[in-house]
Amino acid sequence: MKKFILYSITVLVIAFILPVKTQAIPAFARKYGYNCNMCHTGFTKLNDFGQRFRDNGYQIPGQEGKEKNVFDLAPPLALRLSFGHTLYNNDEGTASSFNLYGLDLLAAGVLHKNISFLFIYTPRIDEPSSIFSGLDSINSNPSQFGRLESANLVFSNIIKDALNIRIGRFEPGYHIISSKRTYYLFQPYEVYLMTSPRNNYTFDDNQIGIEATGHFQGGFKYAAGFTNGTGASADNNNYKDLYLSMTQTLGKGDGQSAGQRIGLFGYYGWQPLTLPGTVIATNGQTNGSDNKTFYRLGVSASANWKTLNMQMIYYLGSDNKALNTLDATKNYKFNGGFVELSYAGFLNNRLIASAMYNWVRPPSYDSDSEVNAYSALCRYYLGDWSAINIAIHAEYTHRITGGATKNKENVFALALDFAF
Amino acid sequence: MQKLLIYPVVLILANPMMLPGQEQPVKPVTAVNVHVLGPQKLGNLSPVVVPPGNPQSSSKILLGKQLYFDTRLSLDNTISCATCHDPAMGWSDAGPTSTGISGQKGGRRSPPVSNAAYSQLQFWDGRAATLEDQAKGPIANPIEMGSTHDVMIRTVEDIPGYVEEFKKVFGTSTITIDMVADAIAAFERTVVTTDSPFDRYVRGDEEALTRMEKKGLEIFNGKGHCTLCHWGPYFSDGRFHNLGVAPTDPASPDEGRFVVTNDPADKGAFKTPTIRDVALRAPYMHNGSEKDLDAGIDLYNKGGRVKDANLDPLILPLSLTKKEKEALVSFMKRAMTSTNPEVSGVKPPSVSDLPK
């Protein structure tokens, strides 16, 4: 505890010594000389304009082809790093640790009118982990796997606004509420991580494939895609998973920071029961057979009032009984969601406060997978510079997992979240 | 390839056919040319670019200044450029729209002549490509100065003082409308305001802005989204946007840029005006429909005043708090108001100083 207080003081001292002078993906902010809040309510969450900028292939709507492209600019690189101190406790005891929570290397930009790219690499970090699933895991290695989180090309405005194509590894459009751009550094969107015993599809993962998106005057948006459905791993069958997501914004705004938005999404995929013993293709793919289906079906909503935002997702998952190792007579069915309430305060949204409830309801015979998590956070941004931002981040979660025997955990972390 | 080789040859052949004195076709300024640089950072204005066809000289600037302030250029000797573009009113007028000859009201607000030299296209709808082009308009506009170019030239030719000056500047006593326009444009290119608290702040004077104004600048370039359009040293992208401004007459709204381009995407779109010296020239917008800066910010905060099918995608409700609006206003009020003595102090030459 003493260590923790000492650390808190150090962070605060750093905060006030740092030159708080005026001036995320910071590469974009630098390109235009804009402050982070042009696109973010508070980095990392996008505001309405940020969402439109993203939807338009990282080009300012109306300026396609009239902006500098990556070749006219300094290398469009950015970096995000968070480190800090964590206190963890469950029924067995308490642990405290300094952590390097994560490091992202980003590059993004416009190559040519209506052609842009996004590249996010997370290097492997062989350091104490910050994945809190018990006292043992606090020091598990590595804390971060080396992977290409995103590597994609966007062809925008193939039909103006109505058709844009993204190919490569990307964040699929059914992530209406992005776990990559959440304020929460520690508490995940639990339901995004939920998997049934024999299905290696994870809702949260970025996928490899192709996606079409479009948006229309009346506030309607769609995203539809074909993907492997295996995240960063090679494909395991010859079926491609498919999905469709639709949202409608009511009132002015895009539903991110103004206006109200409702949405509907569905995902349909195939998992093989039989995998050939050896990989059949040079790239690691297998032509798994006995493919069984699974689906996810959900709704989303976002409402805004002044600087208050409420967003939620709820979805049902169902995996074919052949994939259910726990009870082969039934399809594995679960549901879950989260509700998140965020407030932006102080001039230029310097302060973000948020509370969130996550729940996952597995079938009764898998009650160990049940989750109820109550979280709260506070982020204070040290500046609103155009090329860099640092937030002091405090986050607390009380998490109860399991059905019959409940496991209670508390996580508290104080961190610096840093992007330039 | 063949075409490419022939092209320069044709150009060379075509050139000598342009006889001296013959009007050179005005090269249309294409949108891409204007905007090729994309959003630029806010900063200090660089020196005005002078077109090769109309070099500056002190005698030409003086002549232009006299013409600018001379009511005799209008049909009934009541209106000069300065009537509607008054240095004491931020080079605009009291508004909401301009009043021309015989008290006739126009439909649009008078934009500032100060810094107009940095504007790539002139007028709210960009229908004139250059200041020279622009200056010819008001003289012959029936509701502005109400004259014709011929009548105006005859008036000027009857004033020996002017004949002498034109001879000195242009080397001929045959006065043409182009000379009048060149002289006025040369004067306008000197009306630049480069010394506001904002400019001093950018040059490194940390004290030039108050805490509140710095916050305002931060919001201008961040949460307020203002620099999406009001960017670069001129605080304007030179493009045309539909902000959902309340039309003066909803039954027949001003269609703005659409009238020039016939592109449906330009319906109700107007040129982004500069923010420099903006506090000096309320009311705001192309029709003067926003009475002050607070009202103007309120329009943006609501995501447009009226519903418009052609609303610019960059216009979104902003969720600005009261404090944030105040900070924005304070930035636009004092920090953007210039103190250039040579500009804010420009006094109309007294009638006795005008050529006789």
Side-chain angles (χ1 to χ4, degrees):
Chain A
M1 195 63 200
K2 236 197 303 192
K3 206 159 76 178
F4 185 72
I5 292 171
L6 209 82
Y7 172 72
S8 310
I9 292 170
T10 315
V11 167
L12 290 175
V13 166
I14 292 172
F16 288 104
I17 289 175
L18 275 169
V20 183
K21 214 178 102 180
T22 41
Q23 242 57 55
I25 294 177
F28 291 136
R30 270 194 293 276
K31 167 176 175 181
Y32 302 118
Y34 291 157
N35 296 343
C36 308
N37 284 2
M38 183 65 84
C39 295
H40 296 276
T41 304
F43 98 85
T44 51
K45 190 176 173 192
L46 291 180
N47 64 23
D48 286 336
F49 170 70
Q51 187 63 44
R52 286 197 177 171
F53 179 73
R54 182 179 189 272
D55 290 347
N56 199 42
Y58 314 114
Q59 306 167 98
I60 295 174
Q63 297 188 165
E64 303 84 358
K66 297 161 189 168
E67 299 185 359
K68 292 177 189 155
N69 61 36
V70 283
F71 310 108
D72 305 327
L73 295 159
L77 298 176
L79 187 149
R80 182 184 182 197
L81 172 74
S82 48
F83 63 91
H85 190 266
T86 321
L87 278 176
Y88 174 87
N89 128 295
N90 66 12
D91 300 337
E92 291 162 24
T94 301
S96 92
S97 150
F98 281 110
N99 292 91
L100 193 61
Y101 300 115
L103 173 65
D104 293 349
L105 306 173
L106 308 95
V110 175
L111 298 168
H112 186 264
K113 179 179 180 181
N114 287 326
I115 303 177
S116 52
F117 74 100
L118 173 69
F119 180 95
I120 303 176
Y121 178 68
T122 60
R124 183 181 165 103
I125 303 176
D126 288 298
E127 305 249 330
S129 145
S130 60
I131 302 155
F132 304 105
S133 50
L135 284 176
D136 302 337
S137 74
I138 204 160
N139 282 316
S140 69
N141 268 324
S143 81
Q144 179 168 290
F145 290 100
R147 68 167 47 139
L148 263 180
E149 186 178 298
S150 290
N152 58 71
L153 270 184
V154 192
F155 299 89
S156 320
N157 296 305
I158 294 168
I159 301 171
K160 186 168 164 36
D161 297 342
L163 182 64
N164 309 276
I165 300 277
R166 209 177 259 270
I167 56 171
R169 181 154 148 87
F170 51 81
E171 181 178 34
Y174 54 82
H175 286 183
I176 300 299
I177 300 171
S178 169
S179 66
K180 312 290 187 282
R181 294 184 294 279
T182 167
Y183 291 134
Y184 288 84
L185 282 176
F186 306 101
Q187 177 56 41
Y189 293 145
E190 298 278 359
V191 71
Y192 281 20
L193 302 176
M194 182 64 183
T195 50
S196 70
R198 221 186 142 166
N199 188 348
N200 76 350
Y201 164 76
T202 308
F203 189 88
D204 196 44
D205 279 351
N206 282 0
Q207 299 292 348
I208 301 174
I210 177 162
E211 178 182 84
T213 58
H215 48 275
F216 300 87
Q217 272 275 317
F220 176 76
K221 270 195 210 183
Y222 76 89
F226 282 104
T227 61
N228 288 341
T230 48
S233 310
D235 204 0
N236 58 6
N237 63 12
N238 289 323
Y239 287 89
K240 300 299 154 261
D241 294 0
L242 44 107
Y243 59 84
L244 176 67
S245 160
M246 296 178 289
T247 59
Q248 175 67 46
T249 308
L250 311 164
K252 291 174 182 168
D254 230 50
Q256 287 289 121
S257 51
Q260 332 302 332
R261 184 182 66 209
I262 48 172
L264 199 64
F265 58 86
Y267 185 99
Y268 199 80
W270 285 266
Q271 266 308 307
L273 287 177
T274 316
L275 291 168
T278 50
V279 165
I280 61 154
T282 45
N283 299 334
Q285 294 94 326
T286 60
N287 65 342
S289 53
D290 288 337
N291 286 290
K292 298 297 172 190
T293 60
F294 65 95
Y295 68 80
R296 306 285 180 265
L297 194 60
V299 292
S300 70
S302 173
N304 291 284
W305 184 72
K306 295 193 172 175
T307 61
L308 206 60
N309 171 262
M310 192 280 297
Q311 57 179 3
M312 61 87 60
I313 270 189
Y314 173 80
Y315 78 73
L316 306 165
S318 174
D319 295 6
N320 185 285
K321 55 180 177 273
L323 297 166
N324 190 350
T325 52
L326 299 171
D327 182 349
T329 65
K330 298 189 184 84
N331 290 347
Y332 185 94
K333 285 191 171 169
F334 67 93
N335 68 76
F338 60 87
V339 182
E340 184 181 345
L341 188 70
S342 304
Y343 167 77
F346 290 5
L347 280 187
N348 221 0
N349 300 350
R350 276 295 166 79
L351 181 82
I352 300 287
S354 176
M356 174 164 74
Y357 169 56
N358 273 272
W359 75 94
V360 177
R361 297 285 174 270
S364 57
Y365 49 82
D366 187 21
S367 63
D368 280 356
S369 302
E370 183 171 328
V371 181
N372 286 286
Y374 305 86
S375 314
L377 68 70
C378 198
R379 271 167 89 78
Y380 180 75
Y381 297 87
L382 298 187
D384 190 14
W385 307 284
S386 66
I388 165 176
N389 210 326
I390 305 170
I392 302 177
H393 181 104
E395 184 176 327
Y396 171 74
T397 287
H398 177 64
R399 186 148 140 248
I400 307 156
T401 47
T405 49
K406 293 211 182 337
N407 177 22
K408 290 187 185 144
E409 300 165 290
N410 291 295
V411 182
F412 181 76
L414 187 63
L416 282 181
D417 188 7
F418 181 56
F420 69 83
Chain B
M1 192 60 202
Q2 216 166 9
K3 233 202 229 153
L4 221 89
L5 285 174
I6 290 170
Y7 186 65
V9 177
V10 172
L11 266 185
I12 292 162
L13 288 177
N15 229 9
M17 295 195 291
M18 265 192 227
L19 301 169
Q22 189 173 317
E23 188 137 340
Q24 302 248 157
V26 178
K27 207 168 126 229
V29 183
T30 66
V32 175
N33 252 342
V34 174
H35 310 309
V36 79
L37 292 170
Q40 289 164 45
K41 295 175 190 182
L42 302 176
N44 300 122
L45 286 167
S46 43
V48 169
V49 175
V50 177
N54 186 19
Q56 300 284 84
S57 74
S58 53
S59 50
K60 192 192 281 178
I61 293 165
L62 176 67
L63 172 59
K65 180 174 175 180
Q66 290 165 337
L67 291 166
Y68 184 93
F69 286 100
D70 198 332
T71 54
R72 289 173 295 183
L73 265 55
S74 70
L75 191 64
D76 64 355
N77 295 349
T78 57
I79 312 272
S80 73
C81 307
T83 310
C84 303
H85 304 283
D86 181 352
M89 303 186 94
W91 298 84
S92 176
D93 62 15
T97 57
S98 294
T99 308
I101 193 159
S102 319
Q104 295 182 88
K105 285 249 184 282
R108 289 185 183 166
R109 171 104 187 95
S110 160
V113 157
S114 53
N115 302 318
Y118 293 94
S119 190
Q120 304 270 6
L121 296 171
Q122 302 297 331
F123 290 121
W124 284 104
D125 51 17
R127 66 183 181 277
T130 60
L131 285 174
E132 284 78 359
D133 245 17
Q134 192 286 327
K136 295 174 200 166
I139 297 164
N141 185 324
I143 63 169
E144 292 191 342
M145 296 163 86
S147 190
T148 68
H149 291 160
D150 289 342
V151 171
M152 185 272 298
I153 298 286
R154 252 177 280 139
T155 312
V156 174
E157 276 174 342
D158 285 347
I159 302 167
Y162 268 134
V163 177
E164 207 173 295
E165 282 198 46
F166 273 93
K167 185 140 202 230
K168 196 165 126 208
V169 175
F170 296 101
T172 161
S173 41
T174 326
I175 300 171
T176 66
I177 181 65
D178 288 339
M179 293 176 193
V180 173
D182 281 2
I184 293 176
F187 166 64
E188 287 173 319
R189 290 199 175 93
T190 66
V191 185
V192 296
T193 65
T194 51
D195 189 36
S196 63
F198 164 80
D199 290 300
R200 271 172 270 145
Y201 179 68
V202 172
R203 282 187 218 112
D205 178 0
E206 287 282 329
E207 311 285 283
L209 298 191
T210 66
R211 219 180 106 77
M212 193 70 164
E213 288 162 352
K214 284 178 196 166
K215 293 280 179 196
L217 171 57
E218 197 176 298
I219 295 163
F220 193 87
N221 194 34
K223 185 177 175 183
H225 293 168
C226 313
T227 39
L228 284 180
C229 304
H230 297 281
W231 51 250
Y234 181 51
F235 284 72
S236 166
D237 58 358
R239 300 200 177 110
F240 302 86
H241 305 273
N242 181 329
L243 306 189
V245 168
T248 313
D249 174 10
S252 68
D254 189 338
E255 301 209 297
R257 182 69 174 159
F258 172 73
V259 177
V260 179
T261 61
N262 248 330
D263 178 352
D266 284 332
K267 268 200 181 142
F270 294 87
K271 189 177 75 177
T272 309
T274 179
I275 297 297
R276 286 181 175 274
D277 296 307
V278 74
L280 303 175
R281 44 172 195 269
Y284 300 109
M285 306 300 168
H286 69 273
N287 56 2
S289 56
E290 300 296 337
K291 69 174 194 307
D292 53 25
L293 287 174
D294 298 278
I297 288 171
D298 190 55
L299 175 148
Y300 288 110
N301 200 36
K302 288 197 162 72
R305 196 59 80 190
V306 294
K307 236 183 136 133
D308 194 312
N310 203 34
L311 190 70
D312 197 282
L314 306 181
I315 295 297
L316 285 157
L318 299 171
S319 317
L320 295 174
T321 63
K322 194 160 157 272
K323 254 286 168 50
E324 286 168 337
K325 291 185 214 169
E326 279 168 25
L328 264 179
V329 170
S330 82
F331 169 69
M332 288 194 283
K333 252 197 186 137
R334 195 193 68 98
M336 288 313 296
T337 303
S338 65
T339 48
N340 279 32
E342 71 277 20
V343 172
S344 56
V346 169
K347 292 252 173 12
S350 67
V351 177
S352 54
D353 285 346
L354 288 174
K356 283 186 264 300

